[in-house]
């Protein structure tokens, strides 16, 4: 049976917000690991290692407040440009995090999903992602999407290719293509639109993350490096979100 509450040794309580002010889907760009490590005289890899705790804290904080979807930018299609040593570390690290955390997430009622391209991604990483997906498939408290080897533009290109093949095979009328046609061919067709998009480390850009899904997301940029983020950081961002006026193109 799933355990009732996530770990909370300090007894931290989330802010009291009306249900309609809590974002359904939060996306996080986990930025600043390298700079955090450099500021402490540590290798870049130490920053990635410290960031695992921050991701777990985001999961715990989401569960406490009632967020239903959390998407984490774990490895982008552009990250292959980094040094071979760092890429190797990140591949192994993503694999190890999944192995270490999947049983805990299972007990917490967290469903794990993977969004990204299989191309170039290590087979062992894909196996860990798929194992976590199968193990947690029936969970429903929170859906955690690990975006590994993910790029927003690549996702849209892949969706366009699928549509083009269907048009060529005369299975799809090009005049009947709608936004729903594209959305249904993304990596995770059932993923809802992002409500709150968070980036740590003070950088103010989306960096090719969930471009389609974040069309009307509220953007919150935080100064903290990712390893310094915890559930209270998440709650602070959600309080900022709760005070935004979301009109979706309508007049006030």
């Amino acid at each position: 049976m799933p355990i009732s509450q996530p770990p909370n040794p300090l007894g931290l309580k989330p802010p009291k917000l009306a249900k309609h002010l809590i974002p359904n889907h939060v996306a996080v760009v986990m930025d600043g690991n390298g700079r955090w490590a450099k500021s402490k005289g540590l290798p870049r890899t130490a920053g990635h290692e410290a960031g695992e705790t921050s991701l777990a804290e985001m999961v715990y904080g989401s569960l406490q407040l009632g967020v239903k979807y959390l998407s984490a930018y774990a490895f982008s299609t552009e990250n292959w440009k980094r040094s071979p040593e760092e890429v190797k570390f990140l591949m192994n690290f993503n694999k190890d995090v999944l192995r270490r955390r999947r049983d805990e997430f299972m007990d917490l009622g967290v469903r794990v999903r993977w969004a990204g391209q299989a191309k170039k991604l290590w087979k062992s990483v894909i196996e860990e992602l798929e194992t976590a997906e199968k193990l947690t498939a029936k969970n429903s408290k929170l859906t955690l999407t690990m975006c590994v080897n993910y790029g927003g533009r690549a996702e849209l290109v892949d969706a366009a290719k699928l549509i083009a093949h269907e048009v060529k095979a005369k299975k799809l009328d090009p005049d009947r293509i709608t936004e729903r046609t594209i959305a249904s061919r993304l990596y995770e067709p059932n993923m809802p639109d992002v409500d709150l998009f968070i980036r740590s480390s003070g950088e103010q850009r989306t960096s090719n993350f969930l471009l389609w899904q974040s069309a009307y997301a509220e953007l919150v940029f935080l100064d903290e490096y990712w390893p310094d983020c915890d559930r209270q950081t998440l709650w602070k961002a959600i309080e900022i979100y709760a005070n935004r006026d979301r009109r979706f193109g309508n007049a006030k």
Side-chain angles (χ1 to χ4, degrees):
M1 295 290 292
I3 59 181
S4 58
Q5 294 292 331
N8 189 10
L10 299 178
L12 299 173
K13 295 182 179 179
K16 293 182 179 180
L17 295 170
K19 189 174 181 180
H20 73 279
L21 294 177
I22 298 172
N24 182 52
H25 184 184
V26 176
V28 290
V29 177
M30 305 180 290
D31 193 29
N33 293 332
R35 279 166 284 168
W36 178 90
K38 184 179 179 181
S39 71
K40 298 180 180 300
L42 299 171
R44 286 179 59 85
T45 53
H48 297 306
E49 290 171 342
E52 178 183 347
T53 299
S54 297
L55 176 59
E57 277 285 302
M58 292 288 160
V59 170
Y60 304 153
S62 294
L63 287 167
Q64 283 184 265
L65 195 54
V67 174
K68 300 300 292 183
Y69 292 85
L70 177 66
S71 296
Y73 210 4
F75 189 90
S76 78
T77 49
E78 287 74 38
N79 286 157
W80 294 106
K81 300 174 185 176
R82 297 189 178 185
S83 70
E85 293 78 18
E86 186 171 0
V87 168
K88 181 179 180 180
F89 173 86
L90 288 170
M91 287 292 104
N92 283 315
F93 185 63
N94 274 292
K95 180 174 61 177
D96 293 343
V97 168
L98 287 163
R99 188 179 297 133
R100 278 194 297 271
R101 296 284 179 174
R102 68 187 180 204
D103 289 338
E104 178 190 14
F105 289 163
M106 177 64 191
D107 290 340
L108 287 170
V110 176
R111 183 188 185 203
V112 178
R113 299 293 297 165
W114 165 43
Q117 292 184 326
K119 183 175 62 177
K120 293 180 69 175
L121 194 56
W122 288 13
K123 182 180 178 181
S124 57
V125 177
I126 294 174
E127 288 173 351
E128 289 295 338
L129 287 162
E130 291 178 341
T131 297
E133 283 187 322
K134 291 176 183 177
L135 178 67
T136 63
K138 295 182 179 180
N139 288 347
S140 58
K141 284 189 176 181
L142 171 70
T143 296
L144 170 65
T145 303
M146 298 294 292
C147 298
V148 184
N149 199 25
Y150 174 88
R153 287 182 174 180
E155 180 175 35
L156 292 173
V157 168
D158 287 344
K161 287 178 180 178
L162 288 174
I163 292 170
H165 283 300
E166 291 178 44
V167 169
K168 184 178 180 181
K170 301 188 183 303
K171 294 180 180 180
L172 181 64
D173 181 351
D175 291 328
R176 298 179 68 87
I177 293 173
T178 64
E179 289 184 9
R180 183 174 295 182
T181 308
I182 297 171
S184 66
R185 287 156 179 80
L186 299 177
Y187 296 148
E188 284 294 297
N190 295 322
M191 176 187 286
D193 284 349
V194 175
D195 299 299
L196 172 59
F197 186 109
I198 301 172
R199 182 175 187 140
S200 58
S201 87
E203 301 291 349
Q204 299 189 13
R205 56 182 177 274
T206 60
S207 291
N208 198 26
F209 187 43
L210 296 177
L211 297 179
W212 179 274
Q213 299 87 340
S214 299
Y216 274 98
E218 295 297 323
L219 309 179
V220 175
F221 301 108
L222 301 171
D223 291 331
E224 295 92 332
Y225 292 138
W226 178 247
D228 291 326
C229 294
D230 57 17
R231 70 188 79 183
Q232 292 183 97
T233 313
L234 171 68
W235 296 340
K236 177 175 73 174
I238 290 176
E239 287 184 295
I240 294 171
Y241 164 88
N243 285 293
R244 297 276 179 87
D245 182 18
R246 305 187 78 205
R247 298 193 298 274
F248 301 97
N250 291 325
K252 189 172 183 180

